[in-house]
Amino acid sequence: MEAVAKLRNVPTSPRKMRLVANLVRGQKVTRALGLLKFEANSGAPKIEKLLLSALANWQLKNEDERIEDANLYIKEIFVDEGRMLKRLRPAPQGRGHRIRKRSNHVTLIIDSKVEPLGSKAAATQAAESKDTEASANAPKKASRRSSTKKSTETKAEATA
């Protein structure tokens, strides 16, 4: 089940915003959030907020499912050009230069990735979930001793 979030009239040029959009396109949601948190581009915080909004929209549609178990990824993200404010900046000899203040619209779609039953990815995903369940339920073993400690103990036993 997919969820959509839109951000309109962002006062940043579409070209700058597309750099950030290309960075997260097709990524898993958790990885994309990590990338956006530490990205230096000015559009990263806005796309991060948009991604969190898409997650909230997905959660509203799928109240019975957990976000962690859903295997969500960014299915589609695109940046369209918004309105352009045209201004004049004074130039030498009484002229005026045009300044175009650009804006953009960002659309983000997230979806849950379902692996085909016979694929290797589905088998590894099932194995990982079984491993995590087994490790959570299994009693913890005593930690292994270091090799130097073992060797001194075996020497002491041999001399005795």
Side-chain angles (χ1 to χ4, degrees), residues 37-56:
K37 186 159 186 81
F38 298 106
E39 180 61 32
N41 284 344
S42 62
K46 294 169 184 162
I47 290 187
E48 180 183 9
K49 192 171 180 179
L50 181 66
L51 182 56
L52 291 173
S53 174
L55 273 174

Side-chain angles (χ1 to χ4, degrees), residues 47-65:
I47 290 187
E48 180 183 9
K49 192 171 180 179
L50 181 66
L51 182 56
L52 291 173
S53 174
L55 273 174
N57 293 343
W58 185 88
Q59 189 65 43
L60 282 174
K61 285 184 177 181
N62 305 300
E63 292 178 358
D64 54 332
E65 292 187 49

Side-chain angles (χ1 to χ4, degrees), residues 88-160:
L88 285 176
R89 169 152 293 166
Q93 299 182 355
R95 295 188 194 106
H97 288 262
R98 280 202 186 127
I99 300 294
R100 295 176 300 187
K101 296 189 174 195
R102 299 172 187 266
S103 66
N104 64 64
H105 308 308
V106 184
T107 304
L108 186 127
I109 302 171
I110 60 173
D111 197 5
S112 56
K113 190 176 279 187
V114 179
E115 302 293 338
L117 290 176
S119 70
K120 288 183 182 178
T124 56
Q125 187 178 6
E128 286 175 2
S129 64
K130 287 180 184 177
D131 289 343
T132 55
E133 290 173 7
S135 63
N137 296 336
K140 294 186 177 181
K141 296 179 181 179
S143 62
R144 298 186 77 184
R145 290 182 257 173
S146 67
S147 59
T148 56
K149 198 171 187 181
K150 263 192 214 176
S151 62
T152 55
E153 287 178 0
T154 53
K155 288 179 185 174
E157 289 173 5
T159 57

Side-chain angles (χ1 to χ4, degrees), residues 8-13 46 102-104:
R8 299 182 51 80
N9 295 318
V10 182
T12 310
S13 71
K46 294 169 184 162
R102 299 172 187 266
S103 66
N104 64 64

